[in-house]
């Protein structure tokens, strides 16, 4: 009886043993750091790239004006997201970025807060808590709606100095963008947030002091660089840092944590071209963003444990390509100087890319990033502590 019971126990132990992981990437080196979870290969790093105002027509125009090709074509998985905000069908960048960052629908103008203006923890803050390195690169000011919604919690998007102040509440490892004046020549107080960041283990520099490519970044420090006092220039007027800054960010974040990183990269001015109903502006910014997409894709291809997601917050301009267009000279029209309600494409490449196929709410981007990282719990944590 005893022996039989033991044998039974032995058999059940053997049959309960998990099957060896059926990895689709059998060639991964040992200790590559890719988390395995029930046979699913998890990305160690996630790079979220947001082309502000980049609808299907903005992508199409960039593609045809670039000899019928884009780096975006290298992304095997494509989905669509619904952009509507809680305050109306037509979203703005603040509400949309808050949906990506915090997984909630909120009102236009909201930065990391819900309909009751209560802060909701962002994916960047969650990444920090999970010991990942974090970074942001933008071609707007770094306190503009899209980057702001990943790091700040404020009632209104134009509270730039309060948003700058929120940078001190995080441990973001790397940021590059405009908006220096909101940090060191403030109207609401005399604080010098750049000095305060330096006291918090940051190396901070700017376009006035030295070229971005020449800055030495100590690997045991966080890093911030201001590309302009206010808004950076359009790419057509000489701005050119998005690709280089993104590559620097990746390089620095790899050194900052063995656990992985989360990096948000924004091509901010595709939207500004749409607001200006300026096709040339849209196309030059679109191609600058695509050049950066190419560099990021190349890194992800080599690295093997990085998931890259490219999407937009909304379309801008009601942009269309009309009769009279040729491959290299487009006739275009606009239906609005504001945003539209179009579904927005999502492109994904790397481990877990397949979870981005289908049609879903913009808030699902948050859940899918959490799922890919393997973060525990439902997320969307309210920030209860009172801010001054
Ligand atoms: Zn806009």
């Amino acid at each position: 009886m005893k022996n039989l019971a033991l044998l039974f126990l032995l058999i059940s132990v053997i049959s309960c043993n998990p099957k060896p992981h059926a990895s689709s990437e059998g060639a991964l080196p040992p200790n590559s750091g890719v988390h395995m979870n029930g046979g699913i290969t998890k990305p160690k790093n996630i790079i979220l790239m947001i082309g502000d105002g980049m609808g299907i027509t903005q992508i199409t125009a960039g593609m045809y004006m670039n000899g019928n090709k884009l780096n975006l074509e290298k992304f095997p998985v494509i989905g669509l997201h619904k952009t509507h905000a809680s305050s109306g069908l037509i979203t703005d960048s603040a509400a949309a970025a808050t949906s990506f960052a915090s997984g909630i629908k909120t009102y236009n103008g909201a930065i990391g807060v819900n309909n009751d203006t209560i802060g909701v923890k962002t994916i960047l803050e969650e990444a920090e808590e999970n010991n990942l390195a974090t970074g942001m690169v933008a071609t707007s000011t770094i306190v503009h709606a899209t980057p702001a919604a990943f790091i700040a919690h404020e009632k209104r998007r134009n509270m730039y100095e309060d948003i700058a102040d929120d940078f001190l509440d995080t441990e973001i490892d790397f940021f590059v963008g405009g908006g220096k004046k909101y940090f060191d020549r403030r109207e609401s107080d005399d604080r010098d947030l750049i000095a305060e960041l330096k006291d918090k283990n940051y190396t901070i520099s700017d376009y006035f002091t030295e070229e971005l490519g020449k800055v030495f970044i100590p690997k045991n420090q966080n890093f911030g660089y201001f590309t302009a006092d206010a808004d950076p220039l359009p790419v057509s007027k000489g701005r050119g840092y998005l690709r280089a800054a993104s590559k620097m960010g990746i390089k620095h974040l790899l050194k900052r944590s063995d656990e992985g990183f989360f990096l948000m990269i924004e091509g901010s001015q595709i939207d500004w071209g749409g607001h200006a109903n300026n096709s040339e502006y849209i196309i030059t910014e679109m191609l600058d963003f695509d050049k950066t997409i190419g560099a990021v894709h190349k890194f992800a291809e080599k690295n093997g444990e990085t998931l890259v997601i490219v999407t937009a917050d909304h379309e801008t301009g009601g942009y269309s390509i009309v009769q009279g267009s040729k491959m290299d000279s487009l006739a275009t029209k606009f239906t609005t100087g504001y945003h539209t309600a179009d579904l927005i494409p999502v492109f994904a490449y790397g481990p877990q890319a397949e979870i981005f196929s289908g049609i879903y709410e913009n808030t699902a981007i948050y859940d899918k990033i959490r799922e890919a990282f393997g973060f525990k719990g439902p997320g969307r944590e309210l920030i209860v502590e009172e801010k001054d």
Side-chain angles (χ1 to χ4, degrees), residues 52 93 271-272 275 314 316 338-339:
D52 201 306
S93 298
D271 175 63
W272 302 358
H275 283 289
H314 53 73
T316 307
Y338 195 59
H339 310 152

Side-chain angles (χ1 to χ4, degrees), residues 101 122 236-237 273 293 354:
T122 72
S236 63
K237 301 214 166 103
I293 291 168
E354 58 282 358

